[in-house]
Amino acid sequence: MLYARLFVMRLLKAVVVLFLIVIFNFILIQLAPGDPAAIMAGEAGATDEEFLRQLRERFGLDQPMYVQLWRYVSGIATLDFGWSYRQGMPVLDLILARLPATLLLTGTAFVLSLALGIVLGSMAAARVKKPSGSLIMALALIFYATPLFWVALMAVVLFSVFLGWLPAYGMYTVGAGHTGFALALDVAKHLILPATTLALFFMAIYTRMTRASMLEASQQDYVKTARAKGLAPRVIQRRHVLRNALLPIITLAGLQAGQMVGGAILTETVFAWPGIGRLMFEALQQRDYNLLLGIFFFSAALVIVFNIITDLVYRLADPRIKEAS
């Protein structure tokens, strides 16, 4: 009952936050330089004022900003995100067609980064005064400081161009006609490079956080008591140190799970992965404002959902946490 009430309260707050984000994003887009009607007219080879007027009237760009805002918010309430005048399709259909690819990429990268980060961080904490522990932290620092797009390009050069082990772009082999297990295997092969590239940066963060949290937890009184009882070091590390050190990692992972959608923009662009990150980049280049607003909405909604899930998981992981009065 407590968790159900907590979930309802978090959901109501999320609706308010999402509404404010929608308004803020709409105003920012309106203030952005560039006229979509002028861009479309220029590509069509027509620059006369009458044609521009017809375009603005057709897409509602001639209305005052508050009228456009009301129409947009009213449409969102009925899941109508408008029309992509560059793609010639409803915005919702475009996003739903690309969203599974982004969720597959970011979900795989998230699990990979979290698992490797916890394992490597635990190893570094257990070997804090050994060369192997210093090596792990040095690698984590390198992956944290290296730009994501550079890692992606170097991965393509090494594993696709030089070695030829993995495909360089796309989600599957075009024209191969794979179905069933063969298609899943082909997608998995295409997923390795972009998911690993995206995971390396976040893995470095989790490694450093896990090590710091475990070193702090190892100095607590309950750990000293466990050592005095004669428990094996591995048992102490696993049952007492790591378990309590995971709490700040859960919080950080929940916050960064939503950020991976934004980080996927560069990854999807470099690897031509057909997700909403690449779609956002294309919409930005084309001044497709309706599509941009729809992607912003879904990105914000994903971040809020991940935060709610993290809040619930945190309370399950630590029963001492009670609902705030």
Side-chain angles (χ1 to χ4, degrees):
M1 187 64 183
L2 176 63
Y3 290 108
R5 188 154 60 94
L6 177 64
F7 177 76
V8 172
M9 292 299 297
R10 291 294 185 270
L11 194 60
L12 291 176
K13 293 179 181 178
V15 172
V16 176
V17 171
L18 194 58
F19 176 74
L20 295 176
I21 290 175
V22 167
I23 296 177
F24 183 70
N25 285 336
F26 184 87
I27 294 175
L28 284 182
I29 288 295
Q30 291 294 321
L31 296 177
D35 184 1
I39 295 175
M40 287 186 292
E43 292 181 351
T47 57
D48 59 284
E49 290 296 329
E50 178 62 23
F51 186 67
L52 288 174
R53 186 192 64 79
Q54 293 177 359
L55 285 177
R56 294 191 180 98
E57 182 179 354
R58 177 183 176 185
F59 296 109
L61 300 176
D62 59 334
Q63 301 293 328
M65 187 173 68
Y66 67 88
V67 176
Q68 297 184 46
L69 176 60
W70 170 252
R71 291 173 57 184
Y72 180 71
V73 174
S74 303
I76 288 181
T78 59
L79 296 181
D80 180 12
F81 292 87
W83 185 268
S84 172
Y85 43 80
R86 299 303 302 268
Q87 303 287 344
M89 291 178 59
V91 169
L92 184 61
D93 293 346
L94 279 169
I95 295 176
L96 292 181
R98 299 286 193 99
L99 187 59
T102 294
L103 293 179
L104 175 62
L105 173 61
T106 55
T108 304
F110 176 74
V111 173
L112 184 63
S113 63
L114 188 59
L116 290 177
I118 292 175
V119 171
L120 293 176
S122 302
M123 294 172 59
R127 298 166 172 80
V128 65
K129 295 183 179 180
K130 298 180 180 179
S132 58
S134 300
L135 178 61
I136 292 174
M137 296 310 299
L139 291 176
L141 181 60
I142 290 174
F143 288 127
Y144 178 78
T146 305
L148 186 63
F149 70 90
W150 188 87
V151 175
L153 292 175
M154 292 302 101
V156 170
V157 172
L158 177 60
F159 295 103
S160 298
V161 178
F162 286 167
L163 299 177
W165 291 352
L166 297 170
Y169 58 87
M171 186 175 176
Y172 51 85
T173 304
V174 179
H178 294 310
T179 57
F181 180 74
L183 177 60
L185 190 62
D186 188 40
V187 172
K189 190 175 181 180
H190 284 76
L191 182 63
I192 292 176
L193 279 184
T196 304
T197 301
L198 184 59
L200 286 176
F201 173 80
F202 295 95
M203 178 204 71
I205 297 177
Y206 298 141
T207 299
R208 295 166 62 87
M209 175 64 74
T210 302
R211 178 182 179 273
S213 297
M214 291 187 67
L215 290 178
E216 180 181 359
S218 64
Q219 302 300 320
Q220 300 300 318
D221 292 337
Y222 57 83
V223 177
K224 296 178 182 178
T225 303
R227 293 196 185 102
K229 290 181 179 180
L231 294 179
R234 290 186 178 180
V235 176
I236 295 176
Q237 286 288 102
R238 184 177 66 254
R239 294 184 180 179
H240 298 278
V241 177
L242 180 59
R243 183 176 180 181
N244 289 278
L246 285 178
L247 296 178
I249 300 172
I250 292 174
T251 303
L252 182 64
L255 294 174
Q256 292 188 334
Q259 294 179 5
M260 278 195 172
V261 178
I265 297 176
L266 290 175
T267 307
E268 289 182 359
T269 302
V270 173
F271 292 101
W273 187 265
I276 61 173
R278 185 184 176 197
L279 185 65
M280 182 190 300
F281 181 74
E282 295 171 353
L284 183 62
Q285 286 185 317
Q286 298 169 351
R287 300 295 194 276
D288 196 340
Y289 291 155
N290 284 342
L291 183 54
L292 270 177
L293 287 172
I295 295 174
F296 290 162
F297 176 87
F298 273 85
S299 299
L302 287 175
V303 173
I304 292 174
V305 168
F306 286 136
N307 286 338
I308 293 176
I309 294 174
T310 303
D311 205 8
L312 298 176
V313 171
Y314 199 90
R315 282 163 171 76
L316 290 174
D318 190 353
R320 298 171 297 178
I321 299 177
K322 303 298 182 182
E323 181 182 9
S325 58

